[in-house]
């Protein structure tokens, strides 16, 4: 079975619709949780919310514990594992 062919305009419309749906989902969260989404990603934060962990400080603690466990050289509140902008080939 092959996927249907889309025109470039149809593809762009589809992608734009997906972007808007994702941003609408992010906008439903409080500012502190949106900060976590910025640092760790929507999928990570949403996984905690789906199983009932909704307090931002609890989500941050759990994510940090997991990241620390998988990288023994990583200290608490390290920037490792947190998305940071790359500016002119340097990490900010």
């Amino acid at each position: 079975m092959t996927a249907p062919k889309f025109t470039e305009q149809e593809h762009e419309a589809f992608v734009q619709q997906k972007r808007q749906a994702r941003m609408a989902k992010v906008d439903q969260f409080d500012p502190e949780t949106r900060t976590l989404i910025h640092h760790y990603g929507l999928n990570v934060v949403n996984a905690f919310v789906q199983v009932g962990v909704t307090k931002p400080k609890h989500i941050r603690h759990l994510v940090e514990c997991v990241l620390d466990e998988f990288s023994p050289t990583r200290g608490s509140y390290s920037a490792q594992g947190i998305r940071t902008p790359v500016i002119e080939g340097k990490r900010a």
Side-chain angles (χ1 to χ4, degrees):
M1 183 173 177
T2 61
K5 300 289 183 189
F6 292 102
T7 66
E8 188 172 332
Q9 291 80 13
E10 290 172 328
H11 175 72
E12 286 300 319
F14 176 78
V15 170
Q16 185 63 23
Q17 185 179 24
K18 296 282 278 186
R19 285 182 187 138
Q20 288 173 340
R22 183 178 174 88
M23 287 309 299
K25 185 174 193 94
V26 171
D27 288 344
Q28 292 174 354
F29 291 101
D30 60 274
E32 197 172 351
T33 303
R34 285 197 303 267
T35 299
L36 294 178
I37 291 169
H38 174 73
H39 288 290
Y40 304 118
L42 177 59
N43 290 336
V44 171
V45 173
N46 197 43
F48 285 101
V49 171
Q50 287 175 340
V51 296
V53 181
T54 58
K55 291 185 177 179
K57 69 180 187 175
H58 293 166
I59 294 170
R60 180 183 300 280
H61 172 73
L62 292 170
V63 171
E64 289 293 325
C65 284
V66 170
L67 290 174
D68 287 346
E69 184 66 25
F70 282 99
S71 180
T73 60
R74 182 184 186 277
S76 293
Y77 301 103
S78 167
Q80 183 177 346
I82 296 176
R83 296 178 185 175
T84 56
V86 176
I87 302 170
E88 296 181 25
K90 292 184 177 181
R91 286 205 165 257

